[in-house]
Amino acid sequence: MGAVVGTLTLQTRQRQPSRDNIDDELEMTMVSHRPEGLEQLEAQTNFTKQELQVLYRGFKNECPSGVVNEETFKHIYAQFFPHGDASTYAHYLFNAFDTRNNGSIKFEDFVMGLSTLLRGTVREKLEWTFHLYDINKDGLINKEEMTEIVRAIYDMMGKYTYPALKGDVPKQHVDAFFEKMDKNKDGVVTLEEFVLACQEDENMMRSIQLFENVM
């Protein structure tokens, strides 16, 4: 997630609070989508109003219309992974942020997800990650879905990060995960199985957190 935060806060400058309030109000009247009031977002997230102002300014720099579509999101994300192909992972990440399923991410969508990933409890972070892996949104993760996400991460990191991979490493990684997660061996992982397995296994939690770092 550091990549997204970095690009969306690029070239932002903090000014005096009173000046920020005036500027933000002016900017919000000029975009096609006007976000919810910062006070409301402050109540709904784990960010302060000043942090939200900085995030909004960064969001506006990259997305002047006030919303970002998938192609723009992919373009932004690709800048941080020049040695790999980030398009597939960015597609899945975009869908995770697009909670309204309308093909666009508003500022509110962005900061709500960001709040969970950066400031949420362990349980909240794991739930968010589960929904990322649950590609078809049926409330379960199967091996194919997890393999798709893990393979997308390997593709994004590129051959310079993993220069000597032998065999189907993403599949091997997923097989090991499923062996621990799928407690009742029914071929799918529920949210509770996912959370419990990650909390019980320190190595698995580290792996999940490693993947979280590329969000």
Side-chain angles (χ1 to χ4, degrees):
M1 178 53 68
V4 176
V5 177
T7 192
L8 288 175
T9 56
L10 189 65
Q11 297 177 343
T12 60
R13 294 175 302 170
Q14 293 193 42
R15 303 168 184 164
Q16 293 299 319
S18 59
R19 178 68 179 176
D20 271 337
N21 290 338
I22 295 170
D23 289 346
D24 289 338
E25 288 302 319
L26 287 173
E27 287 175 2
M28 288 179 188
T29 64
M30 298 173 64
V31 298
S32 61
H33 170 70
R34 196 172 182 178
E36 297 172 7
L38 294 182
E39 292 85 358
Q40 184 175 345
L41 287 175
E42 183 180 12
Q44 294 173 335
T45 68
N46 297 313
F47 295 121
T48 66
K49 186 174 181 180
Q50 187 174 24
E51 288 172 328
L52 288 167
Q53 288 169 342
V54 174
L55 286 169
Y56 176 70
R57 200 171 299 282
F59 192 89
K60 270 286 273 83
N61 281 344
E62 293 293 336
C63 316
S65 68
V67 296
V68 57
N69 60 29
E70 184 172 338
E71 289 308 307
T72 301
F73 189 84
K74 285 180 178 179
H75 175 73
I76 293 171
Y77 216 74
Q79 298 174 46
F80 290 86
F81 301 94
H83 300 303
D85 180 1
S87 60
T88 302
Y89 186 73
H91 164 73
Y92 293 129
L93 189 59
F94 179 89
N95 286 343
F97 274 103
D98 180 18
T99 56
R100 306 165 202 260
N101 299 314
N102 62 1
S104 65
I105 299 174
K106 299 176 182 179
F107 178 68
E108 299 95 307
D109 302 325
F110 175 70
V111 293
M112 292 292 284
L114 202 61
S115 173
T116 298
L117 289 169
L118 296 183
R119 305 270 175 89
T121 64
V122 171
R123 169 83 189 199
E124 288 169 342
K125 291 179 180 181
L126 288 174
E127 287 180 356
W128 199 96
T129 304
F130 178 90
H131 293 306
L132 170 68
Y133 282 87
D134 180 17
I135 295 174
N136 66 5
K137 308 305 178 191
D138 66 350
L140 302 167
I141 301 175
N142 59 44
K143 277 191 177 182
E144 290 73 20
E145 288 175 315
M146 185 172 281
T147 302
E148 280 288 316
I149 299 290
V150 174
R151 196 183 304 281
I153 291 172
Y154 277 92
D155 289 344
M156 177 176 63
M157 301 308 288
K159 62 182 180 181
Y160 293 99
T161 305
Y162 302 103
L165 290 180
K166 296 184 184 297
D168 193 344
V169 175
K171 183 178 183 303
Q172 295 168 15
H173 193 108
V174 170
D175 286 344
F177 266 26
F178 252 77
E179 183 66 26
K180 296 177 180 179
M181 288 183 179
D182 186 12
K183 302 291 187 183
N184 61 1
K185 309 302 179 188
D186 62 351
V188 293
V189 172
T190 65
L191 173 60
E192 290 307 317
E193 285 177 323
F194 181 84
V195 171
L196 184 62
C198 290
Q199 290 178 333
E200 288 180 343
D201 191 309
E202 188 176 335
N203 290 328
M204 189 176 297
M205 181 69 83
R206 277 202 299 265
S207 295
I208 293 295
Q209 289 172 340
L210 174 64
F211 290 151
E212 181 184 298
N213 288 338
V214 300
M215 296 178 193

